[in-house]
Amino acid sequence: MNLHLNCNDCRGFLPAYISRTLPPLPRQKVAAHLDSCETCYAAYVQQRDIERELTQQVPLIGRADSPRLNRIWTAVQGEMACPRRAALRRIPARYHLVTIVAIVGLLLPSLGFQALRQRQMALALPVQPTPTETIEVTSQAVAMATAECACWLEAASAEAPEFTVPAQPNYAPNISGTQVP
Amino acid sequence: MDNVENIIARCLQGDQAGFAALYDQFAPGLYRLCYSLVLNREDAEDVTQESFVYAFKNLHRYNARLSAFKTWLYTIAICRCRNIYRRQKPVLNLSHFLPAPKSDTPEASLARVSAKEAVETALAALNPRLREAIVLRYGHGLTFREIAEVMDCPPKTAESRVRLGHDALRGMLGPAGQGLLDELVSFAG
């Protein structure tokens, strides 16, 4: 098994080697290299010490005491019960203004387009002709028209042939004209 | 103690005690994470509160098969922390330190506070992405895979961010660490 590793690769593997997340084969290679290379071993020791210091010190940063956590919990409960309207309040007024301008800017072209279209449709409609002369409808004219209509109906009824009601109740003329024996 | 899935099931049925149990279990860690990232107590409180409110209101969306509840909660918090440090540069507040245990001598206590101060200062100087990786790795003991989930990046990227952060901190903490060691030796002598 070839356990040879160059210094660059070894430095790259060091964090995983220190945190023990390196697979067995590369781990063996790194260990073998550290045994033989003084420079990499010094880097390894320094990195391991800093790792230890970070593991000890970083968890100490920002530890909250009980009153602080209780205060946050009270605020969380309050917000769960009645959500604050801070979302709108936190947005600066200039954003409201920009939003209004944007909405107006979007609405104006569409409104203008609608107005233009309505105008085009109005122009496309045929114009109603204006009456050239006015006929005055009087009671005399109505009486004349009624008499004329009555005469016409009378003449029409005189010209029409007389209709005879058939003797049989369910009479229907045989159009095909077949003779039944 | 109930496991998290049971507590979440109780919460989804409307049990208020379930929310309190979840808060008790995860609030200290979440606050610590937020403080380590934004390095400001007021912002850390706000982010912790907002993260819990969001998580509780959207608890029905949480899928236990996709990630652990802790990872999901940390993802929510990290997004809010990013909003904070996008808005403003972190301001170091080193006036609050943990009270020393009674067994500590004043000298050891001083050295311990100095070491913590040095680490905190070094963290504040780090790039935010590297700081997130370092805090999740060393402050909360997450694996590279979990860090990748929280930071929304491939595991290899998470690993390389930890390594880069480590390299940067090595440069910053090296002299301070040596100074602390000298200080401790002089007190012991």
Side-chain angles (χ1 to χ4, degrees):
Chain A
M1 186 169 54
N2 183 13
L3 291 177
H4 179 72
L5 198 69
N6 64 34
C7 289
N8 275 340
D9 290 343
C10 180
R11 301 283 174 91
F13 283 135
L14 276 183
Y17 179 80
I18 291 169
S19 60
R20 298 179 182 281
T21 53
L22 206 59
L25 183 61
R27 187 168 182 80
Q28 280 180 11
K29 286 184 178 181
V30 172
H33 183 83
L34 289 177
D35 282 342
S36 60
C37 177
E38 286 291 326
T39 322
C40 285
Y41 182 73
Y44 159 72
V45 169
Q46 192 187 15
Q47 208 158 327
R48 187 194 60 193
D49 291 347
I50 289 180
E51 177 124 359
R52 276 185 194 159
E53 191 174 348
L54 288 175
T55 311
Q56 285 172 1
Q57 300 299 333
V58 175
L60 296 179
I61 296 173
R63 277 195 180 173
D65 43 4
S66 295
R68 190 178 297 276
L69 290 177
N70 289 340
R71 196 165 62 233
I72 298 173
W73 174 234
T74 310
V76 168
Q77 280 180 311
E79 197 155 335
M80 291 288 286
C82 52
R84 63 179 169 180
R85 291 176 188 167
L88 274 178
R89 254 186 286 136
R90 264 184 289 170
I91 300 172
R94 62 177 182 276
Y95 292 144
H96 293 298
L97 194 66
V98 167
T99 312
I100 290 167
V101 168
I103 290 170
V104 169
L106 285 171
L107 282 178
L108 269 182
S110 63
L111 286 174
F113 179 71
Q114 273 191 349
L116 186 70
R117 197 171 170 188
Q118 277 178 356
R119 195 176 163 196
Q120 281 177 345
M121 281 176 70
L123 286 174
L125 282 175
V127 183
Q128 191 178 2
T130 43
T132 49
E133 57 184 24
T134 317
I135 301 167
E136 202 172 315
V137 180
T138 57
S139 57
Q140 196 182 352
V142 171
M144 281 176 65
T146 314
E148 201 174 328
C149 281
C151 289
W152 183 80
L153 282 172
E154 204 172 313
S157 61
E159 283 174 11
E162 280 194 18
F163 178 73
T164 51
V165 180
Q168 296 169 1
N170 292 325
Y171 171 76
N174 196 348
I175 299 168
S176 58
T178 49
Q179 291 180 351
V180 181
Chain B
M1 187 192 288
D2 282 352
N3 67 13
V4 179
E5 273 77 25
N6 289 345
I7 299 174
I8 290 172
R10 276 167 46 203
C11 292
L12 290 175
Q13 287 166 0
D15 182 9
Q16 292 300 314
F19 290 111
L22 275 183
Y23 181 82
D24 288 342
Q25 196 167 336
F26 293 102
L30 191 71
Y31 176 81
R32 202 156 49 79
L33 171 74
C34 295
Y35 179 81
S36 308
L37 296 181
V38 298
L39 298 165
N40 177 298
R41 294 209 179 269
E42 284 72 31
D43 286 341
E45 274 187 33
D46 282 350
V47 172
T48 309
Q49 178 192 332
E50 283 176 20
S51 305
F52 270 111
V53 170
Y54 182 88
F56 288 164
K57 283 184 179 171
N58 294 277
L59 207 53
H60 58 279
R61 288 190 194 172
Y62 166 67
N63 188 347
R65 278 173 294 180
L66 294 181
S67 66
F69 183 73
K70 182 179 168 183
T71 315
W72 186 62
L73 196 59
Y74 280 16
T75 309
I76 295 169
I78 286 236
C79 287
R80 276 149 184 77
C81 287
R82 284 177 184 166
N83 289 341
I84 295 270
Y85 48 68
R86 216 177 277 142
R87 277 208 302 263
Q88 63 195 25
K89 289 199 165 188
V91 180
L92 263 186
N93 185 358
L94 301 174
S95 57
H96 305 280
F97 291 113
L98 278 178
K102 284 176 183 172
S103 59
D104 268 7
T105 60
E107 293 83 8
S109 167
L110 179 69
R112 196 170 56 82
V113 167
S114 301
K116 182 171 163 285
E117 188 177 336
V119 171
E120 198 166 336
T121 312
L123 273 180
L126 268 186
N127 174 295
R129 291 285 186 272
L130 303 186
R131 186 163 68 229
E132 285 170 9
I134 288 285
V135 166
L136 289 170
R137 176 76 185 151
Y138 297 109
H140 298 266
L142 265 59
T143 61
F144 291 125
R145 192 173 180 156
E146 288 170 329
I147 295 172
E149 274 179 33
V150 172
M151 294 182 70
D152 193 22
C153 65
K156 281 286 170 194
T157 308
E159 196 175 337
S160 75
R161 281 180 185 170
V162 170
R163 196 176 65 239
L164 287 172
H166 205 282
D167 290 346
L169 285 175
R170 190 169 52 191
M172 289 185 261
L173 286 176
Q178 190 57 48
L180 283 173
L181 192 63
D182 294 344
E183 195 177 9
L184 282 172
V185 168
S186 67
F187 280 127

